[in-house]
């Protein structure tokens, strides 16, 4: 069993990269984790048509890393909100079926409907919008917290 995070866009800040690497290392104690960083589509303009086309292009790239049996969790603002314990319970349940879990963090313009519809669980961390680079760190922190909960280990609150 493995966790993959498919994320559009690069991390530019070294301090953020260091924190991301630290959480990947901590999670590595519990499971294999991989971050797949994909390039955001270049938008010629901010027209709705260009944004839609960019999201379709990004979906094509995202789908190259998803297998039929993967459990897919796109992060979407309109997704389901969970507390940390419920999130841990959901992860534990998926792992009990031997499935790999794929989290998808979209670009600045979100994710295509195709990717959202492919999701087994569309997950929202908040109704607020976060930079996608920061969302990567937030997701990793919550994954680490979930593994601590699953293994009945203490973790700060």
């Amino acid at each position: 069993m493995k966790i993959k995070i498919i994320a559009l866009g690069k991390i530019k800040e070294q301090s953020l990269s260091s924190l991301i690497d630290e959480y990947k290392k901590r999670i590595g104690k519990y499971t294999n984790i991989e971050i797949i960083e994909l390039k955001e589509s270049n938008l010629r303009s901010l027209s709705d048509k260009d944004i839609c086309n960019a999201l379709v292009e990004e979906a094509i790239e995202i789908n190259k890393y998803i297998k039929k049996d993967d459990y897919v969790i796109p992060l979407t603002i309109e997704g389901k909100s969970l507390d940390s314990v419920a999130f841990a319970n959901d992860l534990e349940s998926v792992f009990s079926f031997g499935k790999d879990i794929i989290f998808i963090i979209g670009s600045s313009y979100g994710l295509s409907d195709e990717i959202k519809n492919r999701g087994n669980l569309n997950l929202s961390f908040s109704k607020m919008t976060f930079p996608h680079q920061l969302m990567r760190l937030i997701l990793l922190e919550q994954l680490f917290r979930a593994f601590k909960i699953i293994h009945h280990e203490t973790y700060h609150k």
Side-chain angles (χ1 to χ4, degrees):
M1 296 166 300
K2 180 180 191 174
I3 291 178
K4 281 192 230 175
I5 298 172
I6 301 172
L8 284 114
K10 294 204 177 289
I11 301 295
K12 296 175 180 124
E13 298 84 9
Q14 181 56 44
S15 58
L16 203 49
S17 290
S18 295
L19 287 168
I20 287 168
D21 289 343
E22 177 60 28
Y23 276 102
K24 277 179 58 182
K25 184 173 120 186
R26 291 179 187 187
I27 293 165
K29 172 182 172 187
Y30 303 101
T31 192
N32 292 324
I33 184 160
E34 176 184 9
I35 296 178
I36 300 164
E37 202 170 73
L38 302 178
K39 186 177 182 219
E40 287 183 86
S41 294
N42 291 326
L43 293 178
R44 289 178 218 92
S45 73
L46 295 180
S47 73
D48 287 344
K49 183 179 178 183
D50 282 345
I51 291 170
C52 184
N53 288 340
L55 293 176
V56 168
E57 287 175 18
E58 291 171 355
I60 290 167
E61 290 303 307
I62 290 168
N63 279 320
K64 291 178 182 178
Y65 297 92
I66 299 173
K67 292 182 253 142
K68 182 179 155 190
D69 291 337
D70 289 336
Y71 191 87
V72 179
I73 304 176
L75 303 186
T76 64
I77 199 164
E78 63 274 354
K80 183 177 180 182
S81 294
L82 301 172
D83 64 24
S84 295
V85 173
F87 181 60
N89 290 337
D90 279 5
L91 289 180
E92 187 173 30
S93 175
V94 172
F95 277 140
S96 73
F97 289 106
K99 292 186 175 273
D100 289 345
I101 300 175
I102 311 289
F103 289 92
I104 304 172
I105 302 172
S107 66
S108 304
Y109 296 99
L111 292 166
S112 72
D113 288 340
E114 176 189 356
I115 296 298
K116 291 177 187 178
N117 291 335
R118 170 56 181 92
N120 299 91
L121 167 67
N122 285 280
L123 182 63
S124 174
F125 277 75
S126 173
K127 294 294 180 194
M128 295 182 195
T129 302
F130 296 104
H132 53 279
Q133 296 93 340
L134 185 57
M135 195 62 235
R136 204 177 303 184
L137 178 61
I138 294 168
L139 173 59
L140 287 167
E141 190 281 333
Q142 282 299 302
L143 285 168
F144 177 64
R145 184 181 297 272
F147 282 110
K148 295 293 252 181
I149 292 167
I150 290 166
H151 291 89
H152 306 288
E153 298 171 0
T154 57
Y155 187 63
H156 71 275
K157 294 185 180 200

